[in-house]
Amino acid sequence: MPLPKPPTKRADMLNADDFTSQPKPVKQAKSTTRSASAKAVPTVIQPPVLELVKPAATVVEPVTALKPTSTKKGRAVAPIVADKSDSAPVVTKTSNGDSAKSRHLPAPGSSTTRRRRDVGGPAKLFVLDTNVLLHDPMSLFRFEEHDVYLPMITLEELDGHKKGMTEVARNARQVSRDLDALAADMSSRQQLDPASGIDLTKTGHVEAKGKLYFQTMGMEVQLPAGLPQGKADNQILGVVQALRSQHPGRDVVLVSKDINMRIKARALGLIAEDYFNDKTLEDGDLLYTGVLPLPSDFWERHAKGMESWQQGGITYYRVAGPMVPVLLINQFVYLESPGATPWYGKVIEITGKTAVLRTLKDYANQKHSVWGVSARNREQNFALNLLMDPECDFVTLTGSAGTGKTLMTLAAALCQVLDERRYTEIIVTRVTVPVGEDIGFLPGTEEEKMSPWMGALDDNLEVLARGDNSAGEWGRAATNELVRSKIKIKSMNFMRGRTFLNKFLIIDEAQNLTPKQMKTLITRAGPGTKIICLGNLAQIDTPYLTEGSSGLTYAVDKFKGWPHSGHVTLARGERSRLADFASEVL
């Protein structure tokens, strides 16, 4: 079909092909399309309009760079960056993707979770479920400029959990004390202004800029007929729904650790989120490994001004260069290149722009074996250097099953207790969290009750005792009796208030500890005590704990860079080919 003729009048209608084939009129000076006719008249051409791509550039910038522009009732109001309408899909996607973990921020001092601030609009109103308060008693003060709302049924459930000696009961009592301090003058305050909230900064928590509100009257609840009205979870959902209708211009968010409750809330069209403040890391892959590979040109880039000396058979290097800012004290570094001898070292000092590296003792050599145990790979050599270092008071070892965590730790403990007499005895403890169904109460003393949980200890002691065949059966029996006399098995339930002097404390299965339990155990250390935490973050059995919120992750993140602590993530299993293959494929 032939093309139509060019139009003869300006009012004629043109299709797309006709329009692109014709030169543009000179009078359309605002057009930004570059064509042959536009180049012929340069005086009427304007530069390209760049405002169309400017919002997309601001979306990818970290929100932490935004500074508050104004204040209103003590709360910072940041400039509006994103609109929730459908006209800007790119901005809406970015803001919704980041806001889920930015609405309630971590405790002050957290170095791993990025502190983002919600931008635009009034402060959000967070309705807390009871399990959030029982999980973290300081959760009231973790929402920064946003407000917190407590339904009356939450206080009723809190009162029902305050009795007992469990961790949940202690958290319930602590929350009750904090609420009592906040609501001390609430009656006189409500007489002046019934709708006024309580400033969360009242008790000294300056990071909490919002207010606390209690449910003081009944609300009209319109839930589906299938939901029982007497259930506590459904009553909280009704409160959230009523608050959303009372505050149409404000985000009302339910915060709960109960997955099913969040599902029901979202099914009703309500906003529900998990409590993210308990997570030390957003992703387990971001955990500090304690090991840093050096680039192949490390020595060439750091050769300028480098110093080297030997002392006691150990070589030291003082370097200055681009790698120094990323190094941490007691971090292991290595350089492996094809055709060259591998080099392994440890950072022992960082002063300004210089760092001091020290070569390691080769525990892979049979001459340097620890109670008959030699390192089989690079990470095991790093771990034995930490375990045998008297200046390292706190060591954390993580890795999958069969990487040798317990065997190396027990060998280093026996060597330093029996041979070097650096410590008086070995104390082993762990969390008694069963993998399957609980078998009930166990008879006997404290050690007899803990012995079924210490099967890994018995297995590794058998491996260590099997290595010496020269003493005969009687000699091995005497050795086992001597080893047993130096090992004490303790329960974690009786650790509070104790102080360990010159002890080698081993905390097995530390991934099942909460951050508060980890703090309780580490603070038991007295002068001359060394604490070793072992765990596999892929095998967490404690409810409500994840890789990011485990006490082991918390300890690794907080202790990194301290001159008297160290951490190594063991990468390769050495138990057996069957165990290694099962760890990979199952």
Side-chain angles (χ1 to χ4, degrees), residues 5 12 89 108 161 175 310 331 454 515 524 534 549 558 575:
K5 297 180 180 180
D12 289 346
H161 287 88
V175 173
Q310 287 189 349
Q331 185 179 28
M454 292 299 170
R524 300 306 99 208
L534 313 175
S549 60
K558 295 300 181 182
R575 177 171 291 168

Side-chain angles (χ1 to χ4, degrees), residues 526-545:
T529 294
K530 190 185 186 80
I531 297 181
I532 314 297
C533 292
L534 313 175
N536 181 11
L537 292 173
Q539 297 178 352
I540 297 179
D541 303 317
T542 304
Y544 299 119
L545 276 188

Side-chain angles (χ1 to χ4, degrees), residues 2 19 67 158 203 208 233 249 257 267 383 387-388 392 402 424-425 448 453 461 468 488 524 528:
F19 181 80
K67 296 182 179 179
L158 199 65
T203 55
D233 290 354
K257 298 292 294 182
L387 294 171
M388 298 300 294
C392 199
T424 56
E425 65 179 359
E448 291 174 348
W453 300 97
L461 284 178
D468 188 10
K488 297 293 187 294
R524 300 306 99 208

Side-chain angles (χ1 to χ4, degrees), residues 289-293 332 334 336 344 360 363-364 375-387 396-399 403-405 408 567-574:
T289 61
V291 180
L292 178 66
F332 292 96
Y334 67 91
E336 294 179 347
Y344 305 106
L360 302 178
Y363 286 100
R376 294 189 179 183
N377 54 53
R378 178 180 60 230
E379 284 77 17
Q380 286 189 357
N381 188 27
F382 295 160
L384 286 174
N385 274 273
L386 283 179
L387 294 171
T396 52
L397 300 179
T398 60
T403 51
K405 302 183 297 293
M408 291 189 300
H567 169 72
V568 172
T569 299
L570 301 171
R572 193 174 68 186
E574 299 290 349

Side-chain angles (χ1 to χ4, degrees), residues 83-96:
D83 187 9
K84 295 184 178 180
S85 62
D86 295 333
S87 60
V90 176
V91 177
T92 303
K93 181 178 179 181
T94 305
S95 62
N96 290 344

Side-chain angles (χ1 to χ4, degrees), residues 83-341:
D83 187 9
K84 295 184 178 180
S85 62
D86 295 333
S87 60
V90 176
V91 177
T92 303
K93 181 178 179 181
T94 305
S95 62
N96 290 344
D98 291 343
S99 62
K101 295 187 180 180
S102 62
R103 288 170 181 147
H104 34 94
L105 298 174
S110 178
S111 60
T112 56
T113 307
R114 185 174 300 174
R115 299 178 67 89
R116 304 190 187 101
R117 183 182 299 273
D118 289 320
V119 294
K124 294 180 175 62
L125 183 63
F126 288 99
V127 182
L128 300 189
D129 194 3
T130 312
N131 49 41
V132 176
L133 299 173
L134 297 178
H135 181 73
D136 182 8
M138 300 300 294
S139 59
L140 289 171
F141 312 102
R142 304 301 196 210
F143 294 88
E144 289 216 343
E145 75 272 17
H146 303 294
D147 298 333
V148 177
Y149 189 94
L150 292 183
M152 196 57 63
I153 189 62
T154 298
L155 301 179
E156 287 288 335
E157 287 190 312
L158 199 65
D159 183 68
H161 287 88
K162 68 180 182 181
K163 298 179 181 179
M165 298 300 297
T166 62
E167 189 74 17
V168 172
R170 282 193 289 267
N171 291 343
R173 291 193 292 268
Q174 182 177 346
V175 173
S176 300
R177 288 190 291 266
D178 291 338
L179 292 176
D180 180 60
L182 288 169
D185 57 346
M186 187 174 176
S187 58
S188 59
R189 184 189 300 271
Q190 284 191 339
Q191 292 177 0
L192 299 176
D193 186 5
S196 65
I198 304 173
D199 292 330
L200 290 172
T201 57
K202 178 181 176 182
T203 55
H205 297 84
V206 295
E207 70 276 4
K209 300 295 193 301
K211 290 187 176 183
L212 173 65
Y213 295 91
F214 292 100
Q215 181 186 358
T216 57
M217 61 184 67
M219 296 182 176
E220 295 184 1
V221 179
Q222 296 179 356
L223 293 177
L227 292 178
Q229 300 295 327
K231 192 174 181 181
D233 290 354
N234 298 333
Q235 294 184 35
I236 296 176
L237 291 175
V239 170
V240 176
Q241 192 177 59
L243 288 175
R244 192 179 67 167
S245 60
Q246 293 178 7
H247 305 278
R250 192 176 186 184
D251 288 341
V252 180
V253 184
L254 171 65
V255 182
S256 175
K257 298 292 294 182
D258 188 353
I259 298 177
N260 292 328
M261 187 171 182
R262 296 200 301 267
I263 294 175
K264 288 194 295 185
R266 289 162 183 163
L268 295 174
L270 305 176
I271 305 175
E273 295 178 359
D274 192 5
Y275 180 66
F276 295 103
N277 179 74
D278 59 338
K279 292 180 173 56
T280 307
L281 297 176
E282 295 181 2
D283 190 356
D285 294 335
L286 302 177
L287 183 65
Y288 170 66
T289 61
V291 180
L292 178 66
L294 299 178
S296 58
D297 59 345
F298 174 78
W299 298 115
E300 289 78 5
R301 296 173 61 185
H302 297 75
K304 184 178 179 181
M306 184 179 65
E307 302 177 12
S308 176
W309 68 95
Q310 287 189 349
Q311 182 178 352
I314 300 175
T315 306
Y316 295 83
Y317 302 90
R318 187 183 302 275
V319 297
M323 287 286 294
V324 173
V326 301
L327 298 177
L328 294 173
I329 296 181
N330 283 342
Q331 185 179 28
F332 292 96
V333 292
Y334 67 91
L335 180 58
E336 294 179 347
S337 57
T341 304

Side-chain angles (χ1 to χ4, degrees), residues 32-43:
T32 59
T33 306
R34 296 185 178 181
S35 60
S37 61
K39 295 181 180 178
V41 190
T43 57

